[in-house]
Amino acid sequence: MRPFLEDPESPPNLRVLDGIASWCGGLHGSMPLGDALKALALGLGANAAAITRHHHRTEDRPRLVALVPGALSAPLARAYCNDVLDYQFGRARAGSVWFLTEMLEDPSWRPTRELERLHRTGAIKEVAVIPMSVTRQSIDYIEFHFAVPLSRARQNEIEALVPTIERSWTGRKPGLVAQATADGRTPLARSAVRTERQRWDSPILGMANPAGLSRAEFRVCLLLSRGLSVKAVSQELGLSDNTVRSHLRTIYSKTETSSLPELIYLIMSVTEDEETLVQTAYRA
């Protein structure tokens, strides 16, 4: 099976360069994260790809950030970084690359039933997993799936590109992960807001402040509306992540939302004129 995005008119080296250029540009806002991931997968000749974030203390499984299902015999429906890494999951250093075929040779490695089935049936011949960012709170992974085996030379080519992939991710535009997550879950959030939650008579960030947000809560929502992540909000306000998350729990209660995507959908309903008034009040 040929890579799902392959352009037969484009030489392999040119595809790699185009993929890296699109990836780097996308991480600085030139295109949606999903499109940048798709272009990078094309450059590497992968059949599918995914980006995930795993919070050490609060999540058992990685949270999907971006997904390119591709044209595998069984299209990718979720990420498999934890399945591939097994006992190394959460321990691997940033900038390393882990291949499924190499893990198969590790006597301490135990495949999950689903991954073993996909590999045995030939739906996936190789998976490359790269931890891109490792902090005390979370790890961001990128993974590429291949429907054909990779030679050692192809593996070496991917390994040579890992530092560029990692550095680009580290220097990405603030709020990119939060925006990508919100984009993927906005339809569900919109449905929940419209059918199950209160219908607000005025914007959450309007001057009427219908949810009764405190000044600190209002500032958190305002920064989220600009596309900042929770960590970026913490840095902007000079607060700890725990303090911002505490504010968010109160905000969820006051706005009758249950997640960050739902909240962002509500606060983004503010109009441009209203936002100008809000920012004036914020500066005051």
Side-chain angles (χ1 to χ4, degrees):
M1 179 185 298
R2 284 166 48 187
F4 74 101
L5 290 168
E6 183 176 351
D7 178 0
E9 302 300 323
S10 180
N13 288 343
L14 182 58
R15 288 201 302 272
V16 172
L17 291 175
D18 285 346
I20 289 293
S22 296
W23 168 253
C24 294
L27 294 184
H28 287 86
S30 66
M31 65 178 69
L33 180 58
D35 290 347
L37 176 62
K38 188 175 182 180
L40 182 59
L42 164 61
L44 298 181
N47 296 82
I51 296 174
T52 53
R53 169 165 290 180
H54 175 243
H55 290 277
H56 301 295
R57 300 175 182 175
T58 59
E59 296 173 339
D60 295 328
R61 299 182 66 85
R63 174 163 49 90
L64 193 64
V65 175
L67 177 71
V68 179
L72 296 164
S73 58
L76 195 65
R78 69 172 181 86
Y80 286 84
C81 55
N82 54 324
D83 303 65
V84 172
L85 292 177
D86 187 34
Y87 68 94
Q88 294 286 0
F89 183 66
R91 302 177 181 177
R93 63 180 177 83
S96 58
V97 56
W98 302 76
F99 292 100
L100 172 61
T101 50
E102 293 180 347
M103 298 301 291
L104 288 169
E105 300 173 359
D106 184 345
S108 300
W109 183 76
R110 295 292 181 270
T112 60
R113 185 172 301 177
E114 185 176 0
L115 181 60
E116 186 176 32
R117 176 182 60 79
L118 291 172
H119 187 261
R120 186 179 64 251
T121 59
I124 296 175
K125 289 295 187 180
E126 183 66 279
V127 182
V129 177
I130 304 167
M132 295 187 293
S133 173
V134 178
T135 69
R136 289 190 299 177
Q137 290 78 30
S138 64
I139 303 180
D140 296 334
Y141 297 94
I142 189 170
E143 60 187 76
F144 302 98
H145 294 245
F146 301 84
V148 296
L150 297 183
S151 65
R152 184 62 243 181
R154 287 289 312 283
Q155 290 181 344
N156 288 341
E157 290 174 359
I158 293 173
E159 289 175 344
L161 293 171
V162 167
T164 300
I165 293 172
E166 177 201 0
R167 285 195 301 268
S168 301
W169 181 256
T170 302
R172 69 190 180 278
K173 176 183 176 182
L176 193 67
V177 171
Q179 184 62 52
T181 304
D183 288 346
R185 295 177 60 183
T186 290
L188 294 177
R190 182 182 296 114
S191 176
V193 170
R194 288 180 175 173
T195 62
E196 299 176 12
R197 307 294 182 189
Q198 175 179 338
R199 292 176 182 241
W200 298 90
D201 295 329
S202 58
I204 297 301
L205 290 185
M207 295 301 292
N209 190 15
L213 301 176
S214 70
R215 181 178 176 82
E217 294 159 0
F218 201 96
R219 294 171 72 188
V220 168
C221 288
L222 181 59
L223 292 175
L224 289 173
S225 74
R226 296 174 179 169
L228 273 67
S229 65
V230 172
K231 186 172 186 62
V233 170
S234 303
Q235 294 172 344
E236 178 74 16
L237 298 178
L239 302 174
S240 69
D241 288 354
N242 287 338
T243 299
V244 173
R245 294 186 186 282
S246 177
H247 284 320
L248 280 173
R249 285 192 291 271
T250 304
I251 293 168
Y252 292 155
S253 177
K254 290 183 176 180
T255 59
E256 298 188 8
T257 55
S258 58
S259 65
L260 191 59
E262 281 189 34
L263 175 63
I264 290 175
Y265 172 72
L266 278 179
I267 62 181
M268 290 301 289
S269 64
V270 66
T271 67
E272 184 176 355
D273 289 342
E274 287 164 339
E275 184 172 1
T276 300
L277 291 174
V278 167
Q279 291 179 7
T280 300
Y282 176 81
R283 289 193 295 268

